[in-house]
Amino acid sequence: MNEVKALHIASFHGNIGDNANHNGFRRKLKKSLEVNIKFDEIEMREFYQSWNLRDFNSDDFIDLCNNYDLIIIGGGNFFELKWDYSYTGTTVNISHDTLRKINTPIFFHGVGCDIAKGTSSSAITKFDNFLEVLTNSNKYLVSVRNDGSNNTIKKLYGSKYNGKVHKVADGAFFLETTQHEFPELNHNLKSIGINVVSDMKDIRFDTTKKNGIEYDEFIEGFAKYLNQFLLENQEYQLIFFPHIYSDLLSIYDLISRIDDKFRRTRVIVAPCITGEGSEDYIFSLYKECDLVLGMRFHSNVCSIAQNIPTIALSSYKKIYDLYSELHLLERVIEVNKEGFLDKLIVQVDYTLNNLEDIKKHYQIVNMNIEKESVKFYSKIKAWALENSII
C-alpha cells in the first residue's frame, strides 16, 4: 500500500471535540483514499497572534509545506471573519504570494465559517479574495462543516461559491470509540450527561435581544431543575463533561448549587483532557448516558453520531444551525431565553420516555450523513488523483 505524507494544521490541544473530529476524519480519509497516511501535526494556535510561534508567510513554513504530499488545514472554526490584521480576514493568515510558493496541494477540511462573534467589511472582502484564489485552482479543495457555514457564505457572497465550496459533515460524525470500565461511575445507576459552558457570555447570553436572559439566571434555573430531577429520579446520576478548561467554571457554578447529598453521591465530573486518544475515553463515557444535555458543538455531534439521545442547550448560533441542517430542531432548547426551563422539563420527560424511538431516528440521521459523505469523499479521492497525491 502506498503512503501519503501529510501535514495537518489544526487544533490538537484546545478542545476535546477537535480530537474527536480528527479521529473520525482521518479514519474516513484513509478508507476513502485506500492508502496509508502518515500525519505530521502543527498546532494551529502556533500561528495565532497570542502564541506567535509560527508565521504562515515565512520561508521556513513554505519550505516545510513543500516537503509533503498533502497539506490539510482543519477542521476547526478557522474561518471567523473578524481579523483585520490577516491577509484573509481569518486566522489562516496566508498571503496569495505564499500560496503561489507552496507547491503541495492544500485541502481545507470541514472548516467553520463564523460571523457570530462579529466581522468587518475588510475581513469580508479579504475572505472573498481568498476564496476566489482557492476555488479557481485545482490545487486547492475547500470544504466547510455542517454548522451553518455554507449558509453564512451564501449570505455574504450569494451564489458565487455554489459548487465550489463544499459542505461536509464534521469529522466527529465518523468517530469510533472503544469500551472502558469507568471506575468513576456507580454502575447501579443510570446516567445523564451534561455539558455546560461559560465562555463568550456577552454573546451567548445577550440581554439586549428579545427575551434574553443572563448567564446567572440560566445557571440558577438549571441547578434548581437538576436538584428536583435528582430528588424525583433516584435511579439516575449526572456526569458533567468539560470539553475545555473554561467549562470547569460553569460546572462549578452548577455543582455548587446542587444539594450536597446529591453532589457527593450522584454527581461525577469527567476528566478535562485533550490530545490524541483522549476523545476515545471521554466519548466512550458519553455512551454510558441515556441522554446528553450539551451546549458545545461536539458534545452534540459526538452524541448524535453514537445514537445517544440529545437535547441541545443552545446559546450559540452554530448549535441551532447544526440541528437545523440535520432536521432535528425539535431537539433544541434555547437556554438564553426566558421560559427555557419549562421547555426543558417537558423535553427531558418526553425523551426519557421515548429513548428507543429517538435512537432509531438518530440512526436514520447518521445513515443519511454517511450517504452524503460517500459523495464528498469520492470527490476528495478524484482530487487526490488529479494532483498525483495518490
Side-chain angles (χ1 to χ4, degrees), residues 301-360:
V301 168
C302 294
S303 299
I304 295 169
Q306 299 184 104
N307 301 315
I308 304 165
T310 59
I311 298 174
L313 307 180
S314 178
S315 64
Y316 194 64
K317 183 177 180 293
K318 68 180 175 181
I319 304 301
Y320 185 93
D321 288 347
L322 168 70
Y323 277 77
S324 178
E325 295 206 9
L326 298 178
H327 305 291
L328 289 172
L329 280 177
E330 73 278 5
R331 309 300 308 159
V332 177
I333 303 292
E334 294 181 279
V335 296
N336 52 4
K337 293 184 178 180
E338 293 176 0
F340 84 91
L341 197 54
D342 290 338
K343 295 176 182 178
L344 181 62
I345 292 169
V346 171
Q347 188 63 273
V348 170
D349 183 63
Y350 171 82
T351 301
L352 294 180
N353 285 303
N354 294 276
L355 290 174
E356 293 307 313
D357 287 344
I358 295 169
K359 289 177 184 179
K360 289 177 182 177

Short mmCIF file of all heavy atoms in Angstrom, two decimals, residues 301-360:
data_model
loop_
_atom_site.label_atom_id
_atom_site.label_comp_id
_atom_site.label_asym_id
_atom_site.label_seq_id
_atom_site.Cartn_x
_atom_site.Cartn_y
_atom_site.Cartn_z
N VAL A 301 -22.60 16.74 18.48
CA VAL A 301 -22.20 15.92 17.33
C VAL A 301 -21.84 14.50 17.76
O VAL A 301 -22.31 13.52 17.18
CB VAL A 301 -21.02 16.56 16.57
CG1 VAL A 301 -20.42 15.58 15.57
CG2 VAL A 301 -21.47 17.82 15.85
N CYS A 302 -20.98 14.40 18.78
CA CYS A 302 -20.48 13.08 19.18
C CYS A 302 -21.57 12.23 19.83
O CYS A 302 -21.48 10.99 19.81
CB CYS A 302 -19.28 13.23 20.10
SG CYS A 302 -17.85 13.96 19.29
N SER A 303 -22.57 12.86 20.40
CA SER A 303 -23.71 12.11 20.92
C SER A 303 -24.59 11.61 19.79
O SER A 303 -24.92 10.42 19.73
CB SER A 303 -24.51 12.99 21.88
OG SER A 303 -23.73 13.41 22.97
N ILE A 304 -24.96 12.52 18.90
CA ILE A 304 -25.81 12.12 17.76
C ILE A 304 -25.12 11.01 16.97
O ILE A 304 -25.75 10.03 16.57
CB ILE A 304 -26.10 13.33 16.87
CG1 ILE A 304 -26.95 14.36 17.62
CG2 ILE A 304 -26.82 12.89 15.59
CD1 ILE A 304 -27.07 15.70 16.92
N ALA A 305 -23.81 11.17 16.73
CA ALA A 305 -23.05 10.19 15.94
C ALA A 305 -23.08 8.80 16.56
O ALA A 305 -22.97 7.80 15.85
CB ALA A 305 -21.60 10.66 15.78
N GLN A 306 -23.23 8.74 17.89
CA GLN A 306 -23.26 7.45 18.59
C GLN A 306 -24.68 7.04 18.97
O GLN A 306 -24.87 6.17 19.81
CB GLN A 306 -22.35 7.51 19.82
CG GLN A 306 -20.90 7.80 19.47
CD GLN A 306 -19.98 7.77 20.68
OE1 GLN A 306 -19.24 6.82 20.90
NE2 GLN A 306 -20.03 8.82 21.48
N ASN A 307 -25.67 7.71 18.35
CA ASN A 307 -27.09 7.41 18.56
C ASN A 307 -27.52 7.59 20.02
O ASN A 307 -28.39 6.86 20.52
CB ASN A 307 -27.42 5.99 18.08
CG ASN A 307 -27.13 5.79 16.61
OD1 ASN A 307 -27.46 6.63 15.78
ND2 ASN A 307 -26.46 4.69 16.28
N ILE A 308 -26.91 8.56 20.68
CA ILE A 308 -27.29 8.89 22.06
C ILE A 308 -28.30 10.03 22.00
O ILE A 308 -28.01 11.09 21.44
CB ILE A 308 -26.07 9.34 22.89
CG1 ILE A 308 -24.97 8.28 22.86
CG2 ILE A 308 -26.49 9.66 24.32
CD1 ILE A 308 -23.63 8.80 23.36
N PRO A 309 -29.50 9.86 22.55
CA PRO A 309 -30.47 10.95 22.54
C PRO A 309 -29.89 12.23 23.17
O PRO A 309 -29.19 12.16 24.18
CB PRO A 309 -31.62 10.39 23.39
CG PRO A 309 -31.55 8.91 23.16
CD PRO A 309 -30.07 8.61 23.10
N THR A 310 -30.18 13.34 22.52
CA THR A 310 -29.65 14.63 22.98
C THR A 310 -30.77 15.63 23.15
O THR A 310 -31.84 15.53 22.55
CB THR A 310 -28.67 15.22 21.95
OG1 THR A 310 -29.36 15.39 20.70
CG2 THR A 310 -27.45 14.36 21.75
N ILE A 311 -30.48 16.64 23.98
CA ILE A 311 -31.21 17.90 23.97
C ILE A 311 -30.15 18.98 23.87
O ILE A 311 -29.27 19.09 24.74
CB ILE A 311 -32.07 18.10 25.23
CG1 ILE A 311 -33.13 17.00 25.34
CG2 ILE A 311 -32.73 19.48 25.22
CD1 ILE A 311 -33.92 17.03 26.63
N ALA A 312 -30.18 19.74 22.79
CA ALA A 312 -29.20 20.80 22.60
C ALA A 312 -29.56 21.99 23.49
O ALA A 312 -30.66 22.53 23.40
CB ALA A 312 -29.17 21.25 21.15
N LEU A 313 -28.62 22.36 24.37
CA LEU A 313 -28.78 23.56 25.19
C LEU A 313 -28.17 24.71 24.39
O LEU A 313 -27.00 25.04 24.55
CB LEU A 313 -28.09 23.39 26.54
CG LEU A 313 -28.48 22.13 27.34
CD1 LEU A 313 -27.72 22.09 28.67
CD2 LEU A 313 -29.99 22.09 27.59
N SER A 314 -28.96 25.29 23.52
CA SER A 314 -28.43 26.22 22.53
C SER A 314 -28.28 27.63 23.10
O SER A 314 -29.24 28.22 23.59
CB SER A 314 -29.34 26.25 21.31
OG SER A 314 -28.87 27.19 20.36
N SER A 315 -27.05 28.15 23.01
CA SER A 315 -26.80 29.55 23.36
C SER A 315 -25.91 30.21 22.31
O SER A 315 -25.46 31.33 22.50
CB SER A 315 -26.12 29.64 24.74
OG SER A 315 -24.84 29.02 24.71
N TYR A 316 -25.67 29.49 21.20
CA TYR A 316 -24.80 29.99 20.15
C TYR A 316 -25.31 29.48 18.81
O TYR A 316 -25.77 28.34 18.71
CB TYR A 316 -23.36 29.52 20.39
CG TYR A 316 -22.32 30.23 19.56
CD1 TYR A 316 -22.11 31.60 19.71
CD2 TYR A 316 -21.56 29.55 18.63
CE1 TYR A 316 -21.15 32.26 18.95
CE2 TYR A 316 -20.59 30.20 17.87
CZ TYR A 316 -20.39 31.56 18.03
OH TYR A 316 -19.46 32.22 17.26
N LYS A 317 -25.22 30.31 17.81
CA LYS A 317 -25.88 30.08 16.52
C LYS A 317 -25.54 28.73 15.88
O LYS A 317 -26.40 28.07 15.32
CB LYS A 317 -25.52 31.22 15.57
CG LYS A 317 -26.20 31.15 14.19
CD LYS A 317 -25.82 32.36 13.36
CE LYS A 317 -26.48 32.31 11.98
NZ LYS A 317 -25.95 31.20 11.15
N LYS A 318 -24.28 28.30 15.97
CA LYS A 318 -23.91 27.10 15.22
C LYS A 318 -24.54 25.83 15.79
O LYS A 318 -24.68 24.84 15.07
CB LYS A 318 -22.39 26.94 15.13
CG LYS A 318 -21.67 26.65 16.42
CD LYS A 318 -20.17 26.54 16.16
CE LYS A 318 -19.39 26.36 17.44
NZ LYS A 318 -17.94 26.28 17.19
N ILE A 319 -24.95 25.85 17.06
CA ILE A 319 -25.66 24.69 17.61
C ILE A 319 -27.04 24.60 16.98
O ILE A 319 -27.47 23.53 16.52
CB ILE A 319 -25.77 24.80 19.15
CG1 ILE A 319 -24.39 24.95 19.78
CG2 ILE A 319 -26.51 23.58 19.71
CD1 ILE A 319 -23.44 23.83 19.50
N TYR A 320 -27.73 25.73 16.94
CA TYR A 320 -29.04 25.78 16.31
C TYR A 320 -28.93 25.39 14.83
O TYR A 320 -29.73 24.61 14.32
CB TYR A 320 -29.62 27.19 16.45
CG TYR A 320 -31.03 27.35 15.93
CD1 TYR A 320 -32.11 27.20 16.79
CD2 TYR A 320 -31.28 27.64 14.59
CE1 TYR A 320 -33.42 27.34 16.32
CE2 TYR A 320 -32.57 27.77 14.11
CZ TYR A 320 -33.64 27.63 14.98
OH TYR A 320 -34.92 27.76 14.52
N ASP A 321 -27.91 25.91 14.15
CA ASP A 321 -27.73 25.63 12.72
C ASP A 321 -27.41 24.16 12.47
O ASP A 321 -27.85 23.58 11.47
CB ASP A 321 -26.62 26.51 12.14
CG ASP A 321 -27.04 27.96 12.02
OD1 ASP A 321 -28.24 28.25 12.15
OD2 ASP A 321 -26.15 28.82 11.82
N LEU A 322 -26.62 23.54 13.35
CA LEU A 322 -26.34 22.11 13.21
C LEU A 322 -27.62 21.31 13.22
O LEU A 322 -27.87 20.48 12.34
CB LEU A 322 -25.43 21.65 14.37
CG LEU A 322 -25.28 20.13 14.52
CD1 LEU A 322 -24.47 19.54 13.37
CD2 LEU A 322 -24.65 19.80 15.87
N TYR A 323 -28.48 21.56 14.21
CA TYR A 323 -29.73 20.80 14.33
C TYR A 323 -30.68 21.13 13.19
O TYR A 323 -31.44 20.26 12.74
CB TYR A 323 -30.37 21.06 15.70
CG TYR A 323 -29.80 20.20 16.79
CD1 TYR A 323 -28.56 20.48 17.36
CD2 TYR A 323 -30.48 19.09 17.25
CE1 TYR A 323 -28.02 19.69 18.36
CE2 TYR A 323 -29.96 18.27 18.25
CZ TYR A 323 -28.72 18.59 18.80
OH TYR A 323 -28.19 17.78 19.79
N SER A 324 -30.62 22.36 12.70
CA SER A 324 -31.43 22.73 11.55
C SER A 324 -31.01 21.93 10.32
O SER A 324 -31.86 21.39 9.58
CB SER A 324 -31.29 24.23 11.27
OG SER A 324 -32.02 24.61 10.12
N GLU A 325 -29.70 21.81 10.08
CA GLU A 325 -29.22 21.07 8.92
C GLU A 325 -29.53 19.58 9.03
O GLU A 325 -29.67 18.89 8.02
CB GLU A 325 -27.72 21.30 8.75
CG GLU A 325 -27.37 22.74 8.41
CD GLU A 325 -26.08 22.89 7.63
OE1 GLU A 325 -25.52 21.87 7.19
OE2 GLU A 325 -25.64 24.03 7.47
N LEU A 326 -29.63 19.08 10.27
CA LEU A 326 -29.94 17.66 10.47
C LEU A 326 -31.44 17.41 10.59
O LEU A 326 -31.86 16.27 10.78
CB LEU A 326 -29.25 17.15 11.74
CG LEU A 326 -27.73 17.20 11.76
CD1 LEU A 326 -27.20 16.71 13.11
CD2 LEU A 326 -27.13 16.37 10.63
N HIS A 327 -32.24 18.48 10.47
CA HIS A 327 -33.70 18.40 10.61
C HIS A 327 -34.09 17.83 11.97
O HIS A 327 -34.96 16.97 12.09
CB HIS A 327 -34.30 17.55 9.48
CG HIS A 327 -33.92 18.02 8.11
ND1 HIS A 327 -34.37 19.21 7.56
CD2 HIS A 327 -33.09 17.48 7.18
CE1 HIS A 327 -33.86 19.38 6.36
NE2 HIS A 327 -33.07 18.35 6.09
N LEU A 328 -33.43 18.37 13.00
CA LEU A 328 -33.68 17.92 14.38
C LEU A 328 -33.99 19.09 15.31
O LEU A 328 -33.71 19.03 16.52
CB LEU A 328 -32.45 17.17 14.92
CG LEU A 328 -32.15 15.79 14.33
CD1 LEU A 328 -30.80 15.28 14.83
CD2 LEU A 328 -33.25 14.79 14.68
N LEU A 329 -34.59 20.15 14.77
CA LEU A 329 -34.80 21.35 15.60
C LEU A 329 -35.71 21.10 16.80
O LEU A 329 -35.67 21.86 17.77
CB LEU A 329 -35.37 22.48 14.73
CG LEU A 329 -34.34 23.24 13.90
CD1 LEU A 329 -35.02 24.29 13.03
CD2 LEU A 329 -33.29 23.90 14.79
N GLU A 330 -36.51 20.04 16.74
CA GLU A 330 -37.36 19.73 17.90
C GLU A 330 -36.54 19.31 19.10
O GLU A 330 -37.04 19.27 20.23
CB GLU A 330 -38.37 18.62 17.54
CG GLU A 330 -37.80 17.22 17.39
CD GLU A 330 -37.16 16.95 16.03
OE1 GLU A 330 -37.08 17.88 15.21
OE2 GLU A 330 -36.75 15.79 15.79
N ARG A 331 -35.24 19.04 18.90
CA ARG A 331 -34.35 18.63 19.99
C ARG A 331 -33.59 19.81 20.59
O ARG A 331 -32.69 19.61 21.41
CB ARG A 331 -33.33 17.60 19.49
CG ARG A 331 -33.87 16.41 18.72
CD ARG A 331 -34.83 15.56 19.52
NE ARG A 331 -34.29 15.18 20.80
CZ ARG A 331 -35.04 14.80 21.84
NH1 ARG A 331 -36.36 14.79 21.74
NH2 ARG A 331 -34.48 14.46 22.97
N VAL A 332 -33.94 21.04 20.20
CA VAL A 332 -33.19 22.23 20.62
C VAL A 332 -33.99 23.04 21.64
O VAL A 332 -35.18 23.32 21.45
CB VAL A 332 -32.87 23.13 19.41
CG1 VAL A 332 -32.16 24.41 19.86
CG2 VAL A 332 -31.99 22.37 18.41
N ILE A 333 -33.31 23.44 22.72
CA ILE A 333 -33.87 24.38 23.70
C ILE A 333 -32.93 25.59 23.73
O ILE A 333 -31.73 25.44 23.99
CB ILE A 333 -33.95 23.77 25.12
CG1 ILE A 333 -34.79 22.49 25.13
CG2 ILE A 333 -34.50 24.80 26.10
CD1 ILE A 333 -36.25 22.68 24.86
N GLU A 334 -33.46 26.77 23.48
CA GLU A 334 -32.64 27.99 23.54
C GLU A 334 -32.58 28.44 25.00
O GLU A 334 -33.50 29.09 25.51
CB GLU A 334 -33.23 29.06 22.63
CG GLU A 334 -33.14 28.66 21.16
CD GLU A 334 -33.68 29.72 20.23
OE1 GLU A 334 -34.91 29.77 20.07
OE2 GLU A 334 -32.87 30.48 19.67
N VAL A 335 -31.49 28.10 25.67
CA VAL A 335 -31.38 28.31 27.11
C VAL A 335 -31.01 29.74 27.49
O VAL A 335 -30.90 30.07 28.67
CB VAL A 335 -30.35 27.33 27.73
CG1 VAL A 335 -30.82 25.90 27.58
CG2 VAL A 335 -28.97 27.52 27.11
N ASN A 336 -30.82 30.59 26.48
CA ASN A 336 -30.53 32.01 26.75
C ASN A 336 -31.77 32.87 26.63
O ASN A 336 -31.67 34.10 26.53
CB ASN A 336 -29.44 32.51 25.80
CG ASN A 336 -29.74 32.24 24.34
OD1 ASN A 336 -30.82 31.73 24.00
ND2 ASN A 336 -28.81 32.58 23.47
N LYS A 337 -32.95 32.24 26.66
CA LYS A 337 -34.20 32.97 26.56
C LYS A 337 -35.14 32.63 27.70
O LYS A 337 -35.10 31.53 28.27
CB LYS A 337 -34.89 32.66 25.22
CG LYS A 337 -34.13 33.18 24.01
CD LYS A 337 -34.89 32.91 22.72
CE LYS A 337 -34.14 33.48 21.52
NZ LYS A 337 -34.88 33.25 20.25
N GLU A 338 -35.99 33.59 28.04
CA GLU A 338 -36.98 33.36 29.09
C GLU A 338 -37.85 32.15 28.75
O GLU A 338 -38.17 31.91 27.59
CB GLU A 338 -37.87 34.60 29.24
CG GLU A 338 -37.16 35.83 29.76
CD GLU A 338 -38.06 37.05 29.78
OE1 GLU A 338 -39.25 36.91 29.38
OE2 GLU A 338 -37.59 38.13 30.17
N GLY A 339 -38.20 31.41 29.78
CA GLY A 339 -39.09 30.27 29.59
C GLY A 339 -38.38 28.99 29.19
O GLY A 339 -39.04 27.97 28.94
N PHE A 340 -37.02 29.03 29.12
CA PHE A 340 -36.30 27.82 28.68
C PHE A 340 -36.54 26.64 29.61
O PHE A 340 -36.60 25.48 29.17
CB PHE A 340 -34.80 28.11 28.58
CG PHE A 340 -34.04 27.98 29.87
CD1 PHE A 340 -33.46 26.77 30.25
CD2 PHE A 340 -33.91 29.07 30.74
CE1 PHE A 340 -32.77 26.65 31.44
CE2 PHE A 340 -33.22 28.95 31.93
CZ PHE A 340 -32.64 27.74 32.29
N LEU A 341 -36.69 26.92 30.90
CA LEU A 341 -36.76 25.84 31.88
C LEU A 341 -38.03 25.01 31.70
O LEU A 341 -38.00 23.77 31.76
CB LEU A 341 -36.69 26.40 33.29
CG LEU A 341 -36.34 25.40 34.40
CD1 LEU A 341 -35.07 24.65 34.08
CD2 LEU A 341 -36.21 26.13 35.73
N ASP A 342 -39.16 25.68 31.47
CA ASP A 342 -40.41 24.94 31.26
C ASP A 342 -40.29 24.02 30.05
O ASP A 342 -40.75 22.87 30.08
CB ASP A 342 -41.57 25.92 31.05
CG ASP A 342 -41.92 26.69 32.32
OD1 ASP A 342 -41.59 26.20 33.42
OD2 ASP A 342 -42.50 27.78 32.21
N LYS A 343 -39.66 24.51 28.98
CA LYS A 343 -39.48 23.70 27.77
C LYS A 343 -38.53 22.54 28.03
O LYS A 343 -38.75 21.42 27.54
CB LYS A 343 -38.95 24.56 26.63
CG LYS A 343 -39.91 25.64 26.18
CD LYS A 343 -39.29 26.53 25.11
CE LYS A 343 -40.25 27.64 24.70
NZ LYS A 343 -39.65 28.55 23.69
N LEU A 344 -37.49 22.79 28.81
CA LEU A 344 -36.51 21.75 29.11
C LEU A 344 -37.14 20.63 29.93
O LEU A 344 -36.91 19.44 29.66
CB LEU A 344 -35.32 22.35 29.86
CG LEU A 344 -34.20 21.37 30.22
CD1 LEU A 344 -33.57 20.78 28.97
CD2 LEU A 344 -33.13 22.08 31.07
N ILE A 345 -37.94 20.98 30.92
CA ILE A 345 -38.60 19.98 31.76
C ILE A 345 -39.46 19.05 30.90
O ILE A 345 -39.40 17.82 31.04
CB ILE A 345 -39.45 20.67 32.85
CG1 ILE A 345 -38.54 21.38 33.86
CG2 ILE A 345 -40.35 19.65 33.56
CD1 ILE A 345 -39.29 22.29 34.81
N VAL A 346 -40.22 19.63 30.01
CA VAL A 346 -41.09 18.84 29.13
C VAL A 346 -40.25 17.96 28.21
O VAL A 346 -40.55 16.76 28.02
CB VAL A 346 -42.00 19.77 28.29
CG1 VAL A 346 -42.74 18.97 27.22
CG2 VAL A 346 -43.00 20.49 29.19
N GLN A 347 -39.17 18.52 27.65
CA GLN A 347 -38.36 17.77 26.69
C GLN A 347 -37.61 16.62 27.36
O GLN A 347 -37.49 15.53 26.78
CB GLN A 347 -37.38 18.71 26.00
CG GLN A 347 -36.61 18.09 24.84
CD GLN A 347 -37.50 17.67 23.69
OE1 GLN A 347 -38.01 16.55 23.67
NE2 GLN A 347 -37.69 18.56 22.73
N VAL A 348 -37.08 16.82 28.55
CA VAL A 348 -36.39 15.74 29.26
C VAL A 348 -37.36 14.61 29.57
O VAL A 348 -37.05 13.43 29.35
CB VAL A 348 -35.72 16.25 30.56
CG1 VAL A 348 -35.22 15.08 31.41
CG2 VAL A 348 -34.56 17.19 30.24
N ASP A 349 -38.53 14.96 30.05
CA ASP A 349 -39.53 13.94 30.38
C ASP A 349 -39.93 13.16 29.13
O ASP A 349 -39.98 11.91 29.15
CB ASP A 349 -40.77 14.62 30.99
CG ASP A 349 -41.82 13.60 31.42
OD1 ASP A 349 -41.53 12.79 32.32
OD2 ASP A 349 -42.92 13.61 30.85
N TYR A 350 -40.16 13.87 28.04
CA TYR A 350 -40.53 13.20 26.79
C TYR A 350 -39.40 12.27 26.32
O TYR A 350 -39.64 11.14 25.91
CB TYR A 350 -40.82 14.24 25.70
CG TYR A 350 -41.00 13.63 24.33
CD1 TYR A 350 -42.22 13.07 23.94
CD2 TYR A 350 -39.92 13.57 23.43
CE1 TYR A 350 -42.37 12.48 22.69
CE2 TYR A 350 -40.07 12.98 22.18
CZ TYR A 350 -41.29 12.43 21.82
OH TYR A 350 -41.43 11.84 20.59
N THR A 351 -38.18 12.77 26.38
CA THR A 351 -37.03 12.00 25.88
C THR A 351 -36.84 10.71 26.67
O THR A 351 -36.65 9.63 26.09
CB THR A 351 -35.75 12.84 25.94
OG1 THR A 351 -35.94 14.03 25.14
CG2 THR A 351 -34.56 12.08 25.41
N LEU A 352 -36.86 10.80 27.99
CA LEU A 352 -36.63 9.62 28.81
C LEU A 352 -37.73 8.57 28.65
O LEU A 352 -37.52 7.39 28.92
CB LEU A 352 -36.48 10.01 30.28
CG LEU A 352 -35.23 10.85 30.61
CD1 LEU A 352 -35.18 11.18 32.10
CD2 LEU A 352 -33.95 10.14 30.18
N ASN A 353 -38.88 9.02 28.18
CA ASN A 353 -39.98 8.08 27.93
C ASN A 353 -40.01 7.56 26.50
O ASN A 353 -40.85 6.72 26.16
CB ASN A 353 -41.32 8.75 28.25
CG ASN A 353 -41.58 8.85 29.74
OD1 ASN A 353 -41.58 7.85 30.45
ND2 ASN A 353 -41.76 10.06 30.24
N ASN A 354 -39.09 8.07 25.66
CA ASN A 354 -39.08 7.67 24.25
C ASN A 354 -37.65 7.45 23.74
O ASN A 354 -37.34 7.75 22.58
CB ASN A 354 -39.77 8.75 23.40
CG ASN A 354 -41.24 8.87 23.68
OD1 ASN A 354 -42.06 8.14 23.14
ND2 ASN A 354 -41.59 9.82 24.55
N LEU A 355 -36.81 6.92 24.59
CA LEU A 355 -35.39 6.77 24.24
C LEU A 355 -35.18 5.92 22.99
O LEU A 355 -34.39 6.29 22.11
CB LEU A 355 -34.63 6.15 25.42
CG LEU A 355 -34.45 7.04 26.65
CD1 LEU A 355 -33.81 6.25 27.79
CD2 LEU A 355 -33.60 8.27 26.33
N GLU A 356 -35.84 4.81 22.89
CA GLU A 356 -35.59 3.90 21.76
C GLU A 356 -36.05 4.52 20.44
O GLU A 356 -35.38 4.36 19.41
CB GLU A 356 -36.28 2.56 22.00
CG GLU A 356 -35.69 1.76 23.14
CD GLU A 356 -34.18 1.58 23.01
OE1 GLU A 356 -33.73 1.23 21.89
OE2 GLU A 356 -33.47 1.79 24.00
N ASP A 357 -37.16 5.24 20.46
CA ASP A 357 -37.63 5.89 19.24
C ASP A 357 -36.65 6.96 18.78
O ASP A 357 -36.39 7.11 17.57
CB ASP A 357 -39.00 6.52 19.47
CG ASP A 357 -40.12 5.49 19.56
OD1 ASP A 357 -39.89 4.34 19.15
OD2 ASP A 357 -41.21 5.84 20.06
N ILE A 358 -36.08 7.71 19.72
CA ILE A 358 -35.13 8.77 19.37
C ILE A 358 -33.84 8.15 18.84
O ILE A 358 -33.25 8.64 17.87
CB ILE A 358 -34.87 9.68 20.59
CG1 ILE A 358 -36.16 10.42 20.96
CG2 ILE A 358 -33.75 10.68 20.29
CD1 ILE A 358 -36.10 11.13 22.30
N LYS A 359 -33.39 7.07 19.45
CA LYS A 359 -32.20 6.38 18.95
C LYS A 359 -32.40 5.92 17.51
O LYS A 359 -31.49 6.05 16.67
CB LYS A 359 -31.87 5.17 19.85
CG LYS A 359 -31.34 5.53 21.21
CD LYS A 359 -31.11 4.27 22.04
CE LYS A 359 -30.67 4.61 23.46
NZ LYS A 359 -30.48 3.37 24.27
N LYS A 360 -33.56 5.37 17.22
CA LYS A 360 -33.85 4.92 15.86
C LYS A 360 -33.85 6.10 14.88
O LYS A 360 -33.36 5.98 13.75
CB LYS A 360 -35.19 4.20 15.82
CG LYS A 360 -35.18 2.84 16.51
CD LYS A 360 -36.56 2.21 16.51
CE LYS A 360 -36.55 0.88 17.26
NZ LYS A 360 -37.91 0.28 17.33
#
